[in-house]
Amino acid sequence: MDNEESGKYFWFARIPILAVLYFISSKEKKLIYFAGLLFYQLASVFFFTGNPNYFLFGTLSSVLFKVCLVLLIFTLVTVKNRTAIGLAILPFFVLYLYVIELVVDSLGDTYYIWIINALLTSFIGGVAIVYYLNDSDEKGAWLLISAILFIVQIAAFFINKFYVKNEGIYQMIILSYGISHFTFYKFLILKENELF
């Protein structure tokens, strides 16, 4: 088996491995997290095919993955920090809108779905920043790293898909997604451990 083939196996196996790791480590075993991992895996497969007909399904799966993440961190939003989170979302959302505008002609029917995806990802970033600034603990650091990587990845994904097909950018996307998933998993486990 050559490096390219083994890389494809690892690419496909990383989310199932993370699901098993979470199942073993978690005391709560939240179904919403498993659903999120499933949606992410579906999105990855749809995008990986390169078939334009599957791009819509990949986009929808990606949004559903982000909805699951939002539901998992929504408890971090309090009456006190709502305004701060709202302000923290804005720069990310504006950046996303700029990136989406660069590739708007390529998005077709998925344009508004990507706007929703941008809003959800910006929300995750805003919550992570405010949470870390208020509680600079290990849990907050893991969430912040995860959120930053999720934010960077969409720009890299669009650049690689619609502008410059580059193996280096593609490998960076795969690596950063792997790290962002692992750091979000670490955040979840630490958050659960506080409750027990």
Side-chain angles (χ1 to χ4, degrees), residues 39 42-43 46-47 54-67 110 113-114 116-117:
F39 285 128
L42 288 172
F46 287 132
F47 290 140
Y54 292 150
F55 188 72
L56 174 63
F57 298 119
T59 302
L60 288 170
S61 298
S62 178
V63 166
L64 291 172
F65 162 65
K66 296 288 173 55
V67 167
T110 64
I113 303 170
W114 279 107
I116 294 167
N117 195 328

Side-chain angles (χ1 to χ4, degrees), residues 3-178:
N3 284 344
E4 187 176 330
E5 193 175 335
S6 62
K8 286 179 183 176
Y9 284 120
F10 173 73
W11 168 85
F12 187 78
R14 62 198 165 137
I15 296 301
I17 289 169
L18 190 59
V20 169
L21 190 60
Y22 178 72
F23 184 81
I24 293 167
S25 306
S26 173
K27 295 173 178 146
E28 290 187 39
K29 297 177 181 36
K30 295 182 178 180
L31 289 178
I32 195 80
Y33 184 61
F34 288 113
L37 291 177
L38 176 63
F39 285 128
Y40 176 77
Q41 186 75 347
L42 288 172
S44 294
V45 170
F46 287 132
F47 290 140
F48 183 75
T49 65
N51 186 333
N53 298 324
Y54 292 150
F55 188 72
L56 174 63
F57 298 119
T59 302
L60 288 170
S61 298
S62 178
V63 166
L64 291 172
F65 162 65
K66 296 288 173 55
V67 167
C68 292
L69 293 189
V70 165
L71 292 173
L72 287 166
I73 67 167
F74 200 75
T75 56
L76 302 178
V77 179
T78 64
V79 174
K80 289 182 191 176
N81 68 13
R82 274 190 301 199
T83 303
I85 289 171
L87 292 172
I89 289 170
L90 288 176
F92 297 127
F93 191 55
V94 169
L95 176 66
Y96 268 119
L97 291 179
Y98 179 73
V99 171
I100 288 170
E101 191 59 33
L102 289 176
V103 296
V104 68
D105 294 333
S106 304
L107 296 179
D109 295 339
T110 64
Y111 175 75
Y112 292 107
I113 303 170
W114 279 107
I115 297 288
I116 294 167
N117 195 328
L119 187 59
L120 293 171
T121 309
S122 300
F123 177 81
I124 294 166
V127 170
I129 286 174
V130 171
Y131 182 73
Y132 182 74
L133 291 175
N134 290 334
D135 300 303
S136 300
D137 58 4
E138 183 182 1
K139 181 171 77 258
W142 286 117
L143 179 60
L144 183 62
I145 293 167
S146 178
I148 289 169
L149 289 172
F150 281 131
I151 288 164
V152 167
Q153 289 150 12
I154 289 187
F157 171 76
F158 279 146
I159 290 167
N160 191 57
K161 184 147 187 76
F162 299 117
Y163 274 127
V164 181
K165 288 271 187 196
N166 182 292
E167 186 63 25
I169 294 173
Y170 180 68
Q171 293 303 324
M172 183 191 80
I173 294 168
I174 290 175
L175 179 64
S176 59
Y177 260 118

